[in-house]
Amino acid sequence: MTDLECFPYGVGHHDDEGICLLIRMGVYRILLDCGLPRLSDYWAEFTRAEPIDLVFCSHAHADHAQGLLTFHQAFPQVPIYSSIVTAQLLGLNWPDEPEVEFCQTLPWQSEIEVKPGLTLTLIPSGHLPGAAAILLRYDGGERFYTLFYTGDFFLSNSRLVEGLPLGALRGLRPDVLILEGSYGTARYPHRRQLENQLAERIYQGISQGYSMLLPIPTLGLGQELLMLLRSHHYFTGQEVDIWVDGRVEKGCDRYMDLLPYFPTSVQNFAQHQPLFWDQRIRPRVRRYSECQGRDPHPCIVLTDETTDLNPYIQALGGEWRVLFAERPRIQLNPTSWAGDLQVQVETYFLSEHCDGVSTTQFIHNIRPQHVIFVHGAPPYLEDLTSLEELRNRYQLHSPAAGTLVELPLGELFLQPPLPEAYYSGELTEHASEVIVALPNAIIVDPRWQSLADTGLVEARWQGEELVLRGVSQRELLNQTGEMATELECCGNCHHYRSARCWNPASALYTFRVAVDGYCPVFEPRPLELE
């Protein structure tokens, strides 16, 4: 047994697992987050001979915090640390329980000694108001350890949260870096570009007479979307009502109470108009409880992602589009709830975590010895641990829940062999087609379900390699649906092929685009001769 090790109770490999990591640093045992949904399953572990000395909560999302209240009730003597904003948001995880303040709050970027020889430093990590990364330093006389844990983090600024200040951490060189790998090695456009694409899609839906229904989490994405809709030029001054319901509404109220802790730009916005609830300035943002039923105009409804959506559609009437947020690890079946209602169901993507490029950039700037990846589907984390640029420089770990990770320092480390990621097959050429045959072992990978969703694939050259990807249900519907030929949209553009833009003059070149999207360099398709 080493004096520096990590035992994960939960690593977020699937949506209902949560994050909970037990760290041993010298004589101390530290719990990083407690997102376990059934904490009673772990009482024997938590009550064994060596007690837990302290708990750190990185932010208020349920997959990092939902077990904290139960833990505090069972072990009230164990201190729980968080940022000031996180302590105020945690209660939204237990809406049926009375509010209990059990966190000891710490200031930003101040080294605080919480136990003899053990100090904590909180660093803003982006992603969500109050979200914090933590730097742990242990000085045991003969041994000195440092560990940096990010929780969920985001380097880019969003509407309500500034990104993690990477410059302040450059060259930190901790012994251990624990970070999320939610998006694996995938690469995505900048957050602001994705926001603009989403705003345009919602605006086009409203312009075509559709009301828009967005099921969202309690904290984070919903409030970001409200700020986007309130401040984007597509909606400023427009005759549109935005209705907010459920726990999302309570999350907005809590944000209003914490306004002094938000970025200066947000506070300046709030000096001129309310952050959320406003019936005076269009678009109007209102509580759904104030809605009187049938609305003659297309509207926008934001509500809980777990609620039944049918009552909103039936009460407000008209035609609807439902937009579900795409997330890694979650396979959406958005048509299952719709029943007999005639609604259009679509998905959108708005990044809330670092993509593969930002993740590797972060690691290279921090320069740790050990890197532990958590919070992501196993194939995504395997993609990260398979990167040669990381394997050649750092000692990489991606443990499953219940697997002890010992973290020896200064010792020769042999990287474990790469998981098998290649599948040998055969090509057969026929007069009118080419058949690629692969072994059925490939279907074991959870990503296969997404690729094989419709049974249709798209192939394209990437250098000397041929890349295959699945065609989604939404793309198939867009390709087979009717589109007015006079609209200046991506679906009618000369450069639109296979749901991507192939115009080198466009900022969206090679990116996937919506069929009803638009950019300034639109070129109409040439007329076909009969």
Side-chain angles (χ1 to χ4, degrees), residues 229-304:
L229 297 173
R230 296 216 66 200
S231 58
H232 201 279
H233 65 87
Y234 277 133
F235 296 94
T236 303
Q238 295 295 317
E239 184 65 35
V240 176
D241 285 317
I242 303 174
W243 301 103
V244 186
D245 198 20
R247 293 169 63 183
V248 180
E249 175 187 340
K250 296 179 181 179
C252 293
D253 289 336
R254 193 61 56 90
Y255 271 41
M256 297 284 285
D257 297 336
L258 297 170
L259 187 58
Y261 299 100
F262 280 69
T264 304
S265 60
V266 178
Q267 297 184 45
N268 291 339
F269 179 92
Q271 289 179 356
H272 302 283
Q273 56 183 288
L275 198 59
F276 298 121
W277 314 124
D278 192 346
Q279 300 185 36
R280 180 176 56 90
I281 298 178
R282 296 174 295 179
R284 295 174 291 268
V285 179
R286 307 164 70 180
R287 303 175 192 272
Y288 186 75
S289 57
E290 301 171 356
C291 182
Q292 301 301 315
R294 299 279 171 177
D295 194 331
H297 305 289
C299 63
I300 302 172
V301 177
L302 277 65
T303 189
D304 300 331

Side-chain angles (χ1 to χ4, degrees), residues 132-205:
I134 186 172
L135 176 62
L136 295 161
R137 298 182 190 270
Y138 170 73
D139 188 353
E142 296 181 358
R143 297 182 180 274
F144 182 79
Y145 301 130
T146 57
L147 181 146
F148 191 82
Y149 170 60
T150 66
D152 289 350
F153 75 108
F154 199 23
L155 298 182
S156 299
N157 293 338
S158 52
R159 296 278 166 172
L160 294 168
V161 190
E162 294 178 345
L164 185 147
L166 180 58
L169 301 173
R170 189 167 287 116
L172 182 63
R173 293 180 178 271
D175 299 315
V176 181
L177 169 64
I178 305 177
L179 77 166
E180 59 151 324
S182 299
Y183 295 163
T185 56
R187 184 169 184 171
Y188 295 108
H190 192 272
R191 164 75 177 226
R192 193 65 53 156
Q193 182 178 344
L194 293 170
E195 287 181 346
N196 289 333
Q197 292 175 0
L198 176 58
E200 185 173 14
R201 286 180 60 189
I202 295 175
Y203 174 74
Q204 289 179 347

Side-chain angles (χ1 to χ4, degrees), residues 444-489:
V444 176
D445 192 301
R447 290 172 288 191
W448 174 259
Q449 296 301 323
S450 176
L451 183 139
D453 183 30
T454 61
L456 301 176
V457 295
E458 173 192 272
R460 64 183 174 87
W461 290 106
Q462 183 172 295
E464 297 297 319
E465 298 180 344
L466 185 67
V467 178
L468 295 176
R469 74 169 190 88
V471 177
S472 68
Q473 294 184 26
R474 175 172 173 256
E475 288 178 68
L476 187 60
L477 289 172
N478 287 338
Q479 292 172 9
T480 58
E482 295 184 358
M483 177 69 65
T485 57
E486 67 274 8
L487 290 179
E488 293 188 0
C489 60

